Amino acid sequence: MNLSLALWLTQDAVVNGAVYALLALALIVVYTVTRVIFVPQGEFISFAALSLATLQNGKVPGTVHLLIATGLVVAVLDGWRMAKTRDFSRLPRLVLFNIALPLAVAALAWWSASRPTDVWLQVLVTLGIVIPFGSMIYRLAYQPLASASILVLLIVSVAVHYMMVGLGLVFFGGEGLRASIFPGFNFDVGILTISLQSIGIVLSSVVLMVVLWLYFGYTVYGKALRATAMNRIGSRLVGISTEFSGKLSFTLAALIGAISGILIAPITTVYYDTGFLIALKGFVGAIIGGMGSYPIAAVGSLLVGFLESYSSFWASSFKESIIFTLIIPVLLWRSLGKHRIEEEEEE
Amino acid sequence: MNPWLPVGGLVAVLLAAPLALSEFQIVLLNYIGLASIVALGLVLLTGIAGLMSFGQAAFVGVAAYTSAVLTTQYNMSPWLTLPVALVLTGTLALAIGAITLRLSGHYLPLGTIAWGIAIFYLFGNLEILGKYSGVAGIPSINLFGLELGGARELYYLIWLMTIGASIAVRNLLDSRSGRAIRALKNRVTMAESFGIDTARMKIVIFLYAALLAALSGWLYAHFLRYVSPQPFNLNSGIDYLFMAVIGGSGAVWGAVLGASILTLLKEWLKDLLPYLMPQSGNYETVVFGFMVVLFLHRTREGVIPYLTRLMPRKDKPRPSLEVAALPRRAQPEAGGTLLSIDQASKSFGALQAVSNVSFEMRSDEILAVIGPNGAGKSTLFNLVSGVLPVSSGRISFLDQRIDRMTGREAARLGIVRTFQHVNLMKNMSVLENVALGAHLRSSSGVVASSLRLERAEEARIMAEAARQLDRIGLGDRLHDPAGTLPLGAQRLIEIARALAADPVLLLLDEPAAGLRHLEKKALAALLNDLRKSGVSILLVEHDMEFVMGLVDRVIVLNFGQKIAEGTPREVQSNPAVIDAYLGGIE
Amino acid sequence: MSATLEVEKLAVSYDKVEALHGASLRVDKGSIVTVIGPNGAGKTTMLAAMMGLLPSRGAIVYGGRDISMMPVEARVDEGLCLVPERRELFSEMSVEDNLLLGAFSRIRRGAGKIDGDIEEIFTRFPRLKERRRQLAGTLSGGERQMLALGRALMAKPQLLMLDEPSLGLAPRIVRDIFHVIASLRSSGVSILLVEQNARAALQVADYGYVLELGEVVLEGPAASLVTNPRVAETYLGLAGAAD
């Protein structure tokens, strides 16, 4: 292997690793706050990338219809609950977020489909489509089960994953799509050719991580989410409701998924089920971080990126086996450091 | 209702089924049987023991491929490849289990996803396994000259094994090992303190589940006569878990029911949806996912627990006491030094919970440790019972160092405890909870239990448990779920369970809390009786009145330190003690 | 005097076991009421039910309205606040952030600046000011209790429920904590105090209830309970021997 190849593989590794690190962050936030192992995280990626590509093809993606329908279901369910308790103080919010917002996004999407060259509008519409799904999915699938065991929540996650992958296939078909955001421009640094796209990805990931770091460290709502992850009872006692933190963490997950999807759309052909495999690698990163430590998970995600990139060169057909076997020594290392700490959950 | 009635009914229906059903329906039934066997392992692993695995499909695949390769390339008979497949899968399970089972909570399912995927990709990339195109031309099974080539012929073998495996798992759950397995879920500390090797038990049932998966895989290979990686991917692993959860992961028949519901649902959706939504197919997974979510919103525990609630409860008969008693250990000579604590300390980070506490205890003594809340009494208890290791100092029991021992090792020496926060298995009967205490006085293993070869010993355990329950006055509540008794009674059950372990030193953590006046009197009388029979008792208590009338000596702790020691009367008039307890705010 | 809280026949069950069998009590506006009783009597259960952490039967009337169906967070919005036995602090956050989140319910409903409120807490507990940047998990037992109290006060509660505030604390610290509790009365906060340290509790309280095995077995003005022979014998523990 020569130096330029090594550098090229490294570039690949860093680009992928940056995306995995973002996903690992989303998975950790959702898990620590709600105890949900969020398997469908990858579907946000697919939905975003494919919606973007569809808009660029001048069509309105099916995810828009799904957004309107899901919003309606939420509005009906919560409206029913309000009618039963006769407390309509939150009705305007409900209508705004679950009916007005999806309709506005749909209008924008319809307009955007007629302007195939307006990339930033497409990105905006894509974000507008995917992000609201976060809190809607939490509301419909998880909120009624907030007190259930981790196993039940995990099973629900898998079922939601099935639904979303199935819908992805319905909306986008089995063919892969590719979008373009940054102009395809390469430049040479010494012997290495760097594409503008890969710089865009790494830069965007870093910016997003810094923004999230500021959010969690310096805003009341970010702190409230961290508080929920640390101490569920304590956070309820200061008035942070399970519903609030659940919806907020899922919204963040959707945001991260949407941005990841937009970032990878130009560099790889995305199929309806591509997101799942990408998110699984984010999982590997998150597991390395013990589903709790974000910095370790970020390093772990980079490690996954390197392993993937180099093993695809040396042993491409065993690439996936190698990456997923990597978890086992990591688990071993984690288990050695742990002495008889057993979470005694009440039945 | 006779527990064998549904089994008998099921067997009859299954026997008659092939006469009435079409070839296609038989094939479906075969798939249900194959899936049931795997789901059974998950009932044990996930439902009962709380260990989640998404990787069972990989085990099915290992066995299927083993038999496929050996029969097609080495012309081995399927009956020879069955043991090979079992051994190979078992070895793999032991290796994977040794690593991943040490992890609790969320690590385990994620770990199983990881190796499930890794093994799947291995299937698809190994030359010898035919890569993604798989292995074809697998021979059928020949049973005493009878060629089990078609679905109809294999049907009987598959269901024979399904029923057999169900009965074996059911037997296992209703045994000494079964009680230990149930304690793996959220009750590890308690189980260890009664001598159950929980780490080993986890490996054993992981192996058990893997072997069931292997059996299914072997049948699968010779049923389809062709294997490829696809049926052993993560999705299949997920489906098996779905089956167990939907059927009711805590019940054996839940596996068969869950496998039936899921297999039929998928089939039905495949048939029905194209009619409902003809424009673009493939809504199956969407509707399937939707139904699973809806289902879990309605009933989290699965179908079987829901059905059982509808049926009247029928208790087993009272265990007969006319059996040989379990062996008892020799009690140490009265009056000698039993327990000696020398400068024991325990700190948690900056908090010094117990600091330099020393005292001795004679055998046949009742000694109380008292002190205000947060004084370090429970921590001291955990040090003596091996739940926590000391930070410094030494603790000896009958001249043997125990300060670094685990709870399990301490239990072997006869140090048995109760827990301040009642630590019973709430859904298990009172009798079974107490029977768990006798774990170390019996020895039957998983295999004997599955095959019901341990009934004689089981009867002796049950008799012992019933005897101890009679002793504490709960002999009329044997078959009630422990969680339905009042808290005071639950504390007494804890004591009965400890007594079933035949203790030398009995550690009681606030036994009188929550008891009414008369109950306290009865408890005091019981403890006095025990002392007469040679058992030494160390108790932590808050209730002064109870302690004063009962114990020989009192140790007083405050802020982790011993501030007084002596007879109850001496301690009562000790100014330091009065200050610790009554230190008002003036 | 008008009642801040009136609890009628409150019952709580775990699984199928009833841990609290129809306890009734009343807290008047601006008064300190204490509930004493031995371990396992159901004191903590009762507080958890009033706060909405456990489902219960019976009526919990607060400010003239039955709140027994409200979720915890809504009760916080209404001015109920619980300092639990285990404190439940955010251990990996600074003292200051813990206090800030104490006001979360007010911030969410649009309270503006709360820096002044944090300063007020610091005046009440100077120790916390010294440690404002320290992580809550590194505090000593007494400081943790002060932080728990401070965090609760940040919500500007009308009814403060304290579960064993003296638990595991040195006598000097217990004294400090009880002085703070007594001083809160003058600021108009009603307090429901659950304590094992019966003597200290009865010294600051106006009225007391004795809970035993999930039932109120005795009640009366605090001064009369201190001299009640039954209380002296059972709950003041060694009192008889001491005199």
Side-chain angles (χ1 to χ4, degrees), chain B residues 254-329:
Chain B
V256 181
L257 194 63
S260 312
I261 293 177
L262 252 83
T263 311
L264 295 177
L265 178 66
K266 280 196 159 175
E267 209 46 50
W268 177 69
L269 287 177
K270 225 181 268 175
D271 288 347
L272 187 72
L273 285 176
Y275 287 106
L276 294 179
M277 288 174 253
Q279 67 279 30
S280 59
N282 242 310
Y283 278 98
E284 282 151 56
T285 50
V286 182
V287 178
F288 179 69
F290 175 74
M291 296 190 85
V292 171
V293 173
L294 202 66
F295 184 89
L296 288 174
H297 282 195
R298 294 282 154 212
T299 164
R300 287 178 205 183
E301 298 164 337
V303 178
I304 291 272
Y306 182 76
L307 292 179
T308 359
R309 265 198 294 277
L310 297 180
M311 298 225 230
R313 194 182 98 193
K314 186 168 179 301
D315 289 341
K316 293 183 192 172
R318 235 189 107 82
S320 158
L321 300 181
E322 309 290 312
V323 290
L326 289 172
R328 294 202 57 182
R329 72 179 102 225

Side-chain angles (χ1 to χ4, degrees), chain B residues 466-477 489 492 496 522 526:
Chain B
R467 222 172 274 134
Q468 298 301 351
L469 279 165
D470 286 342
R471 199 168 179 185
I472 58 158
L474 286 173
D476 55 337
R477 307 288 303 263
L492 292 178
L526 170 68

Side-chain angles (χ1 to χ4, degrees), chain A residues 48-115:
Chain A
L50 292 167
S51 298
L52 181 66
T54 308
L55 285 170
Q56 291 193 337
N57 290 342
K59 282 182 262 176
V60 175
T63 39
V64 173
H65 308 298
L66 181 66
L67 182 65
I68 295 173
T70 316
L72 269 178
V73 175
V74 173
V76 168
L77 286 178
D78 279 351
W80 175 251
R81 198 166 62 164
M82 283 175 189
K84 272 207 296 199
T85 56
R86 292 164 197 283
D87 174 11
F88 292 101
S89 57
R90 289 166 70 93
L91 187 64
R93 263 176 79 97
L94 181 70
V95 172
L96 180 69
F97 280 106
N98 297 297
I99 297 176
L101 179 74
L103 288 177
V105 170
L108 262 185
W110 181 73
W111 184 50
S112 163
S114 65
R115 296 162 55 94

Side-chain angles (χ1 to χ4, degrees), chain A residues 31 140-141 317 344-346, chain B residues 52 106 118 125 186 238 297 426:
Chain A
Y31 177 76
L140 294 178
S317 54
E344 305 255 314
E345 226 177 296
E346 265 306 308
Chain B
M52 220 185 299
H106 52 267
N125 288 296
N186 307 330
I238 291 169
H297 282 195
K426 294 185 177 147

